[in-house]
Amino acid sequence: MLQPYLPFLILLAVAAGTAVMMIVLSHFAAPRRPTHAKAAPYESGMPPLGSARERFSIKFYLVAMLFILFDIETVFLIPWGTIFFTGAGTGGPAMGFLLIEMLVFLVILFVGYVYVWKRGALKWD
């Protein structure tokens, strides 16, 4: 009953064991010479100026949203294109559903792109 899952379980055990072994070995083998300079936060060699609680510009978040939009687009479009174009010779209603599904996804993605564009995230100062 567990035979199909046995390679996966072995891989999972090896990965977990390796992770635990690395953490334990680094804890015991790492040299410890704590100093005040090592405990201080690193800010490019400069002392920190101002508060860490400053507000970021909205453009920072809009650029991050734009990156996520295009990242998700790539993650979904490449496998979809592979399935759609290799199975296009078979035809059938499934291919029409795949096409409509991707068109809906691209329309939603385009709406996000227009939102970011209208908010001015693509303008460089």
Side-chain angles (χ1 to χ4, degrees), residues 10-60:
I10 291 172
L11 177 66
L12 186 65
V14 168
T18 304
V20 169
M21 181 186 63
M22 283 191 221
I23 291 172
V24 169
L25 282 177
S26 70
H27 180 71
F28 288 118
R32 287 188 186 74
R33 293 183 192 96
T35 64
H36 179 68
K38 289 181 184 177
Y42 179 72
E43 294 287 337
S44 303
M46 305 277 298
L49 300 173
S51 171
R53 304 276 183 215
E54 292 180 14
R55 299 181 108 197
F56 287 103
S57 171
I58 190 68
K59 287 187 177 188
F60 173 79

Side-chain angles (χ1 to χ4, degrees), residues 31-117:
R32 287 188 186 74
R33 293 183 192 96
T35 64
H36 179 68
K38 289 181 184 177
Y42 179 72
E43 294 287 337
S44 303
M46 305 277 298
L49 300 173
S51 171
R53 304 276 183 215
E54 292 180 14
R55 299 181 108 197
F56 287 103
S57 171
I58 190 68
K59 287 187 177 188
F60 173 79
Y61 298 106
L62 291 175
V63 168
M65 185 188 314
L66 189 63
F67 171 76
I68 291 172
L69 282 173
F70 286 115
D71 190 42
I72 290 173
E73 177 185 18
T74 304
V75 166
F76 285 127
L77 275 178
I78 291 173
W80 175 85
T82 303
I83 292 169
F84 186 76
F85 289 114
T86 57
T90 60
M95 288 299 136
F97 176 73
L98 283 176
L99 185 61
I100 291 172
E101 179 183 16
M102 189 48 65
L103 288 175
V104 168
F105 173 71
L106 289 175
V107 165
I108 293 171
L109 195 67
F110 183 71
V111 168
Y113 175 72
V114 168
Y115 171 75
V116 169
W117 183 21

